[in-house]
């Protein structure tokens, strides 16, 4: 049956773009979505600092007037400058289980890639590597955690049948906090003392100043991890503002050397998706807000996500990651948390994968980023011009 794909340019297509994943997730209770208001904030080019260095085209696929798929084509100029690439990213991909719809969506991204004269398509990124990254390919028997993507199991098949192949994987480690490796619990305080470092909580009274320090460490600590890109001051401030609304600052730790210089940090946040699971349509009104307040009340959320950890190069391999995990475990248990997800760890990040395993974590969910070379579809257009 005929599929039409339109650019999001009016209120109807915009609302259909927002609404589609909530319709698709009805049969997949472990797939947790952010609130609609959060998605709208993500797409607001006037307010989100990502759009200062990126151009994005949003598309919705229709069949007989009904929305059946969506996708975004993203030109992240900062990524391409940083990594000397000419790559189009795709993101916000959602689709019914239908190859024709997926094909129509990816054809629009490929056309946009040609317009930008890029050589490759890679994704999904929602919208950047500093936000939701990857397509869930494993762990469908458990719910995705806060700020981590989820999707239906058939999604990866749709993408692969469009001749997209693996670029890299990201691992989400699960850790029962009471069962953290006792060796880590015993040795972490000794390592902390031997290194002569100070571990403290983020100072909320100096929030903006503290965020600037963390940004400097973050950009330095992650600079060698492709496809990471440095967060601009506006982007990091935007992320800090969003995290401030849900963070438990008792679980945010900063490491300083004997001179008071910030050498590392870790951020764990309550898994607010436990509450979002009770708001499947993503709407706060009229019934969503009371449900959110009830299910996120003190003591009701039992899990956290270790969202980020950064350590300066010269301090890596000394056990600071174990020290961070030790402090988060000790405080987390005291506050009633019993489970942590350490995510997303790049498969090539040997040190962080080893650290997650050392504390007792095991992979609970995997996300994959796919890519496709431009020559693949350009060759197909040359060989089969009647099909275009």
């Amino acid at each position: 049956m005929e599929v039409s794909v339109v650019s999001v340019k009016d209120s109807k297509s915009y609302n259909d773009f927002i609404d589609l994943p909530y319709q698709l997730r009805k049969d997949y209770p472990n797939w947790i979505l952010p609130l609609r208001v959060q998605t709208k904030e993500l797409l607001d080019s006037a307010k989100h600092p990502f759009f200062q260095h990126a151009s994005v085209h949003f598309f919705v696929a229709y069949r007989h007037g009904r929305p059946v798929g969506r996708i975004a084509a993203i030109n992240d100029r900062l990524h391409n400058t940083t990594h000397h690439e000419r790559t189009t990213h795709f993101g916000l991909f959602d689709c019914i289980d239908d190859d024709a719809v997926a094909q129509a969506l990816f054809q629009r991204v490929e056309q946009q890639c040609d317009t930008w004269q890029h050589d490759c398509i890679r994704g999904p990124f929602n919208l950047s590597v500093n936000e939701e990254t990857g397509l869930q390919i494993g762990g469908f028997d458990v719910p995705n955690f806060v700020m981590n993507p989820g999707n239906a199991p058939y999604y990866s098949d749709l993408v692969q049948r469009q001749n997209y192949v693996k670029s890299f994987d990201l691992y989400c480690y699960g850790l029962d906090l009471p069962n953290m490796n006792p060796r880590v619990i015993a040795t972490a305080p000794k390592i902390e003392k031997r290194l002569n470092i100070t571990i403290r909580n983020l100072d909320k009274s100096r929030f903006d100043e503290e965020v600037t320090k963390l940004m400097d460490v973050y950009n330095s600590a992650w600079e060698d991890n492709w496809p990471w890109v440095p967060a601009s001051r506006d982007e990091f401030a935007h992320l800090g503002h969003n995290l401030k609304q849900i963070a438990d600052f008792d679980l945010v730790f900063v490491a300083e050397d004997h001179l008071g210089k910030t050498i590392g940090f870790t951020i764990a946040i309550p898994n607010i998706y436990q509450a979002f699971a009770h708001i499947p349509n993503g709407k706060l009104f009229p019934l969503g807000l009371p449900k959110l307040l009830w299910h996120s009340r003190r003591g009701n959320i039992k899990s956290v996500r270790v969202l980020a950890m950064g350590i300066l190069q010269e301090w890596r391999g000394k056990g600071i990651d174990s020290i961070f995990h030790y402090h988060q475990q000790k405080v987390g248990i005291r506050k009633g948390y019993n489970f942590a997800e350490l995510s997303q760890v790049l498969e090539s990040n040997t040190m962080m994968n080893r650290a997650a395993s050392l504390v007792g974590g095991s992979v609970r969910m995997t996300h994959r980023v796919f890519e496709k070379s431009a020559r693949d579809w350009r060759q197909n257009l040359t060989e089969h011009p009647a099909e275009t």
Side-chain angles (χ1 to χ4, degrees):
M1 292 184 288
E2 185 177 353
V3 179
S4 61
V5 179
V6 303
S7 297
V8 174
K9 292 183 178 179
D10 55 30
S11 59
K12 181 184 185 308
S13 56
Y14 174 80
N15 290 331
D16 288 340
F17 190 94
I18 297 288
D19 183 63
L20 181 66
Y22 299 97
Q23 299 301 320
L24 296 179
R25 78 163 296 264
K26 290 178 179 178
D27 296 327
Y28 304 96
N30 281 331
W31 172 15
I32 312 302
L33 286 160
L35 299 175
R36 290 173 189 252
V37 65
Q38 294 175 302
T39 303
K40 291 177 180 179
E41 290 175 356
L42 177 70
L43 305 186
D44 191 338
S45 60
K47 295 181 179 179
H48 199 300
F50 174 73
F51 292 89
Q52 294 173 8
H53 58 80
S55 303
V56 185
H57 293 265
F58 303 103
F59 302 102
V60 180
Y62 292 91
R63 177 177 281 152
H64 299 313
R66 184 173 71 90
V68 289
R70 71 172 192 174
I71 203 166
I74 305 162
N75 181 7
D76 186 345
R77 295 181 294 275
L78 179 59
H79 169 91
N80 286 327
T81 300
T82 301
H83 297 290
H84 309 289
E85 292 185 353
R86 295 190 302 174
T87 298
T88 293
H89 289 166
F90 76 88
L92 298 166
F93 170 69
D94 288 287
C95 187
I96 64 171
D97 191 2
D98 188 300
D99 288 334
V101 177
Q103 180 182 32
L105 289 168
F106 279 102
Q107 281 181 344
R108 291 301 294 266
V109 176
E110 291 163 5
Q111 290 168 6
Q112 193 61 54
C113 181
D114 282 339
T115 300
W116 287 326
Q117 297 184 320
H118 289 169
D119 302 323
C120 176
I121 295 176
R122 187 179 300 123
F125 299 98
N126 303 336
L127 291 166
S128 78
V129 72
N130 291 314
E131 295 174 275
E132 287 188 354
T133 300
L135 201 67
Q136 183 184 353
I137 63 167
F140 295 103
D141 57 331
V142 294
N144 54 300
F145 269 40
V146 57
M147 297 177 67
N148 257 345
N151 50 260
Y154 64 82
Y155 273 40
S156 60
D157 293 331
L158 288 177
V159 174
Q160 290 178 93
R161 286 197 290 267
Q162 299 309 311
N163 298 317
Y164 284 76
V165 298
K166 173 186 173 180
S167 180
F168 60 88
D169 284 349
L170 298 152
Y171 301 136
C172 303
Y173 287 85
L175 173 65
D176 291 316
L177 289 177
N179 295 324
M180 178 180 280
N181 186 342
R183 182 182 175 187
V184 172
I185 296 173
T187 59
K190 299 175 183 177
I191 299 173
E192 182 178 339
K193 183 177 181 180
R194 185 177 74 244
L195 294 176
N196 191 24
I197 61 176
T198 300
I199 306 295
R200 64 171 178 85
N201 290 117
L202 192 78
D203 187 345
K204 290 185 288 186
S205 68
R206 299 185 295 117
F207 184 79
D208 291 341
E209 179 185 344
E210 294 275 71
V211 166
T212 299
K213 291 180 180 179
L214 298 194
M215 183 190 73
D216 292 340
V217 173
Y218 177 78
N219 283 342
S220 175
W222 282 78
E223 62 183 352
D224 295 328
N225 288 329
W226 178 89
W228 172 89
V229 294
S232 69
R233 190 169 300 277
D234 286 344
E235 281 185 288
F236 209 81
H238 180 81
L239 176 61
H241 172 74
N242 288 342
L243 293 179
K244 190 176 183 180
Q245 300 178 56
I246 61 174
D248 183 336
F249 286 92
D250 292 336
L251 296 172
V252 180
F253 292 97
V254 178
E256 297 175 334
D257 66 11
H258 68 286
L259 297 176
K261 176 185 176 182
T262 300
I263 60 174
F265 73 93
T266 183
I267 299 173
I269 58 175
N271 181 27
I272 193 67
Y273 275 21
Q274 282 188 235
F276 288 4
H278 299 277
I279 316 172
N281 65 5
K283 296 179 180 179
L284 283 177
F285 301 101
L287 301 177
L289 183 57
K291 290 181 179 179
L292 176 61
L293 295 174
W294 175 253
H295 291 288
S296 63
R297 68 192 187 279
R298 183 186 295 272
N300 201 53
I301 294 178
K302 299 295 185 181
S303 58
V304 299
R305 179 188 172 199
V306 181
L307 175 69
M309 184 180 293
I311 302 168
L312 293 181
Q313 176 68 40
E314 61 268 29
W315 286 91
R316 294 177 199 167
K318 299 179 183 293
I320 294 179
D321 45 10
S322 293
I323 295 170
F324 280 146
H325 288 311
Y326 161 75
H327 280 279
Q328 286 176 328
Q329 187 255 14
K330 183 172 66 173
V331 173
I333 289 178
R334 175 169 56 82
K335 300 198 71 173
Y337 300 109
N338 56 33
F339 189 84
E341 182 182 85
L342 321 176
S343 59
Q344 296 170 302
V345 183
L346 192 64
E347 64 176 337
S348 60
N349 192 335
T350 303
M351 185 183 73
M352 293 307 296
N353 281 290
R354 185 182 297 126
S357 297
L358 176 64
V359 297
S362 59
V363 175
R364 70 183 292 270
M365 186 174 292
T366 302
H367 297 92
R368 176 164 294 174
V369 170
F370 295 86
E371 65 178 40
K372 183 177 182 179
S373 170
R375 65 176 177 268
D376 292 340
W377 73 81
R378 287 171 183 155
Q379 179 179 352
N380 185 63
L381 290 177
T382 301
E383 295 176 350
H384 307 283
E387 298 177 10
T388 63

